[in-house]
């Protein structure tokens, strides 16, 4: 089942007001730090959709016990993170802990649709979804106002069991800078390090209905006009997205992705090609859904000698 539900008109009005507030802060300069004002939003097919991230005290460790306490939401705005110890749990233990946390957080917020955990990073938190990509742009995973936002799925995505999933499950999170030790989805930039990419080829994104593991196959920069965040592409468009992502990827991963596969897209902003806000560039990590109960094995990762660069104007 899909835990995403439509909100009342008052909530939608609040979302619009929040969006106006964000635009006011970024265009007129508000009380937010200038570093934060250089964050970006991903635009999705005619509707404003979100995008990047900062750090969360509830997800500052790979241990599930650090982020499973009731009422603990992504409200911290720290710009850096403590060192992350390697997770010694088995995949089965990780999935068991993830399911428990999904259940706990759904009690606190009915918009909870899953849990995202990226080993070796501070990304270990619930994922929410609602009727648009505006509402959680500046709210925590418990719906509280917060500039750093949370991790949320594109409203166009179908979530639930692995069979029901959209072809491309898209999750957004904020990134205030390109520091891989920064907050929220800035941590994804650890995948720009070859050794890290080799040592952490698997990502966990699970729903209440299915335990799921995803294998990374592309890490890249792109202009936002590349339709990488289309949740429901045609078969031809899906292959084009995968092939283009591979061409753009900083590394060549030994991960086969076919027409019948499903992928996970983690999208955030970057300031490598334009330090200003807003800008037209994104940083993306893509992974494919692995078969149920498949063994996690070492993968081949090599530097791409000539990754396709985003077009600049």
């Amino acid at each position: 089942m899909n835990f995403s539900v439509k909100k009342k008109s008052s909530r939608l009005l609040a979302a619009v007001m929040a969006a106006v507030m964000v635009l006011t802060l970024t265009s007129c300069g508000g009380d937010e730090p200038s570093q934060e004002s250089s964050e970006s939003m991903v635009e999705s097919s005619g509707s404003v959709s979100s995008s990047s991230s900062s750090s969360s005290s509830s997800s500052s460790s790979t241990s599930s016990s650090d982020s499973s306490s009731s009422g603990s939401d992504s409200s911290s705005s720290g710009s850096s993170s403590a060192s992350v110890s390697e997770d010694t749990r088995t995949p089965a233990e990780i999935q068991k802990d993830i399911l428990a946390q999904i259940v706990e957080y759904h009690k606190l917020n009915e918009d909870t649709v899953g849990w995202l955990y990226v080993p070796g990073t501070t990304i270990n938190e619930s994922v929410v979804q609602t009727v648009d990509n505006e509402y959680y742009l500046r709210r925590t995973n418990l719906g509280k106002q917060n500039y750093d936002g949370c991790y949320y799925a594109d409203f166009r995505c179908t979530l639930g069991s692995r069979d029901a999933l959209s072809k491309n499950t898209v999750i957004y999170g904020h990134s205030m800078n390109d520091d891989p030790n920064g907050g929220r989805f800035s941590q994804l930039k650890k995948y720009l390090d070859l050794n890290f990419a080799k040592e952490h080829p698997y990502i966990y994104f699970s729903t209440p209905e299915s335990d799921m593991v995803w294998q990374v196959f592309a890490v890249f920069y792109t202009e936002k006009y590349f339709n990488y965040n289309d949740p429901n592409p045609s078969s031809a468009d899906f292959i084009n997205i995968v092939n283009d992502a591979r061409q753009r990827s900083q590394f060549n991963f030994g991960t086969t992705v076919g027409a019948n596969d499903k992928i996970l897209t983690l999208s955030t902003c970057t300031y490598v090609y334009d330090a200003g806000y807003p800008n037209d560039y994104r940083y993306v990590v893509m992974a494919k859904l692995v078969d149920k109960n498949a063994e996690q094995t070492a993968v081949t990762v090599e530097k791409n000698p000539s990754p396709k660069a985003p077009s600049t104007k």
Side-chain angles (χ1 to χ4, degrees), residues 87 89-99 117 119 204:
D87 197 334
R89 292 174 294 167
T90 66
E93 290 171 335
I94 291 173
Q95 294 288 17
K96 180 180 179 181
D97 289 341
I98 284 176
L99 178 58
Y117 170 45
Y204 294 83

Side-chain angles (χ1 to χ4, degrees), residues 233-277:
S234 66
S235 296
D237 287 342
F238 177 77
I239 294 300
N240 287 337
I241 289 171
V242 169
N243 289 341
D244 205 337
R246 286 189 180 282
Q247 292 173 22
R248 296 169 184 267
S249 183
Q250 297 296 303
F251 304 116
N252 295 323
F253 292 82
T255 307
T256 302
V257 183
N260 294 324
D261 284 315
K262 293 185 177 183
I263 62 175
L264 174 69
T265 295
L266 306 181
S267 176
T268 192
C269 56
T270 180
Y271 311 98
V272 169
Y273 294 90
D274 185 344
Y277 170 83

